[in-house]
Amino acid sequence: DDDDDDDDDDGPVELFDMGDTLGDKLFWAFKFPISAAMYCTIPDVNKERFSEGYWFWVTFFMSIVWIALLAFVMVWMATIIGVIIGIPDPVMGLTVLAAGTSIPDALSSLAVARKGHGDMAVSSSIGSNVFDILIGLPVPWFLATTAAGMDFVEINSDGLNIMVLMLFVMVGLVIVCIRASGWVLTLKLAWMMMALYAVFVVFSLLLEYCILISCPCGMGG
């Protein structure tokens, strides 16, 4: 029964299911436009008419298209908000954008972890970050230098070298923490990883604001 409930939770949301409480109805009305757009553009392969043939490829492709569109809107809004309230782009990318773009990874890892596939959850998170670095960064740079006619893309971050080194350190610490927990995903391991992330964010912000190191044109003065 629990497996059936999990499968129901992982399935598509019913478009006209308004919920029971007033809060559910208000939230349904708020998200209805985008839910309706997704309902009309993403085939539900659980339905009989889309269960055969190559409809799953259409579903997969349209899901990627929607993720790309929403990510573009999120980056655009975060950039505008950062300019308005005076938060530098590297800080917005390190905090707001990093958390926002990782939500799909977190949801996919949650779905497979609830079904007992802990190894898939860990490998998915690692693989997605490798994909972000090796594909997500060079492809926009390639498009910018070819289609837009730019000679190069400048990186305005004084503490980038140290943050890259810290990234390797964090990966090593994650492996150590998983090994210490006996290669089992536990609540204690979750707290340890969240603590490592908090340390990484605080250290990176201190670098970006030139508190730990002096920047030639830094934000700290």
Side-chain angles (χ1 to χ4, degrees):
D1 293 338
D2 293 339
D3 294 338
D4 294 337
D5 293 339
D6 291 343
D7 292 338
D8 293 339
D9 293 339
D10 294 338
V13 178
E14 291 295 333
L15 182 61
F16 296 102
D17 184 8
M18 301 177 62
D20 299 327
T21 65
L22 177 61
D24 293 337
K25 291 180 172 58
L26 292 175
F27 183 66
W28 173 86
F30 175 77
K31 68 176 184 177
F32 180 79
I34 191 171
S35 298
M38 291 184 177
Y39 182 84
C40 295
T41 56
I42 303 178
D44 184 3
V45 294
N46 291 323
K47 295 183 178 179
E48 185 176 355
R49 57 178 175 171
F50 297 127
S51 61
E52 298 180 356
Y54 296 96
W55 282 106
F56 67 94
W57 284 111
V58 179
T59 301
F60 179 73
F61 176 77
M62 291 305 301
S63 298
I64 294 178
V65 169
W66 271 104
I67 292 175
L69 291 175
L70 294 176
F72 176 81
V73 174
M74 183 186 65
V75 172
W76 172 67
M77 294 180 64
T79 303
I80 298 299
I81 293 174
V83 171
I84 293 176
I85 62 180
I87 299 179
D89 290 344
V91 176
M92 292 295 291
L94 182 66
T95 54
V96 178
L97 295 184
T101 55
S102 298
I103 289 178
D105 298 334
L107 293 178
S108 62
S109 297
L110 175 64
V112 296
R114 288 172 57 188
K115 296 180 179 180
H117 304 297
D119 51 349
M120 186 181 297
V122 175
S123 60
S124 173
S125 60
I126 296 176
S128 63
N129 284 277
V130 172
F131 181 88
D132 291 341
I133 295 173
L134 299 182
I135 301 297
L137 291 179
V139 168
W141 293 345
F142 174 80
L143 295 177
T145 54
T146 54
M150 301 173 60
D151 294 331
F152 58 87
V153 178
E154 184 177 359
I155 301 176
N156 298 315
S157 179
D158 297 308
L160 182 62
N161 294 332
I162 300 178
M163 282 193 290
V164 171
L165 178 61
M166 191 174 180
L167 175 62
F168 285 104
V169 174
M170 285 296 170
V171 172
L173 290 176
V174 167
I175 296 176
V176 171
C177 291
I178 296 177
R179 176 65 181 86
S181 65
W183 303 100
V184 176
L185 302 181
T186 61
L187 180 61
K188 182 179 179 180
L189 178 61
W191 282 110
M192 293 170 64
M193 288 189 173
M194 287 190 289
L196 289 177
Y197 176 74
V199 171
F200 173 77
V201 170
V202 171
F203 191 81
S204 300
L205 292 177
L206 293 177
L207 288 176
E208 286 297 334
Y209 281 104
C210 304
I211 297 177
L212 295 181
I213 60 174
S214 60
C215 307
C217 55
M219 294 172 281

